[in-house]
Amino acid sequence: MTGVILIGPPGAGKGTQATVISENFNIPHISTGEIFRRNVADGTDLGQEAQKYMSSGDYVPDAVTNAMVGNRLAEPDTAAGYLLDGYPRTLDQVSELDSILAGLDKTLDAVVEITANTDEVVARLLQRAKEQGRADDTEDVIRRRMQVYAEQTEPLVAVYRDRGLLVQVDGMGTIDEVSARVIAALSDAVS
Ligand code: AMP
């Protein structure tokens, strides 16, 4: 069982590194942001609810998000492990995840934090907005997302550090450089 959480500010390259981790450790990549975006694109009830918050850079309410993650982690492809990308993001979600994992008899083995410089990540996100046109990538929304991250998600780092699960990786540099650091650090942590 290799249970991993990937955490880091918007624009730190989480999505890219998540793919690398998922392939290297052979565990499914579970991105709550991706699941929400897919539901928005498909026009589901969940998507319509999530869209109200995503379009302004705020978090979708915990009740909606927790239920979605609980269902996803109960699927059979998570038997050997999972990689959570973008969840948990609040202290309440940390407690909820603890109960979900206990209920499913799964472990959490490492929390990888990708660190990044704020100016650099804002520049990266504006570039991505140009290339991919994500609706939540306008400058105001990006700044709001950074603020929400600092207020609501950064405190999680201390919680997981206290539990001895935190693995910090410098997210600055090329994708390959960061991937090499992530794989090395995570291999040490879960071996
Ligand atoms: P991401 O792709 O991870 O940056 O997520 C995009 C957006 O989806 C976020 O800005 C939130 O509005 C929403 N979202 C994703 N994960 C969560 C979560 N764990 N809790 C609340 N909202 C979330």
Side-chain angles (χ1 to χ4, degrees), residues 28-141:
H29 173 198
I30 302 174
S31 159
T32 44
E34 278 299 325
I35 301 175
F36 284 136
R37 278 188 290 280
R38 206 165 56 227
N39 276 276
V40 170
D42 293 347
T44 66
D45 288 349
L46 175 69
Q48 284 176 14
E49 177 68 11
Q51 171 77 355
K52 292 190 253 171
Y53 303 91
M54 294 171 79
S55 58
S56 55
D58 287 312
Y59 287 169
V60 177
D62 282 349
V64 176
T65 312
N66 290 332
M68 189 174 87
V69 172
N71 290 334
R72 180 63 187 86
L73 283 173
E75 287 178 27
D77 65 337
T78 64
Y82 59 86
L83 171 65
L84 284 171
D85 163 14
Y87 183 94
R89 259 173 152 105
T90 63
L91 291 168
D92 283 346
Q93 289 181 9
V94 169
S95 320
E96 181 61 25
L97 178 62
D98 289 341
S99 338
I100 292 172
L101 293 176
L104 293 169
D105 209 15
K106 291 184 190 301
T107 55
L108 170 61
D109 302 292
V111 177
V112 178
E113 183 198 12
I114 302 190
T115 59
N117 166 287
T118 306
D119 290 342
E120 174 77 15
V121 298
V122 171
R124 279 193 198 177
L125 286 171
L126 287 171
Q127 183 63 33
R128 183 172 76 184
K130 268 201 221 141
E131 290 165 8
Q132 300 179 4
R134 249 174 68 165
D136 59 349
D137 271 352
T138 65
E139 184 155 3
D140 282 352
V141 175

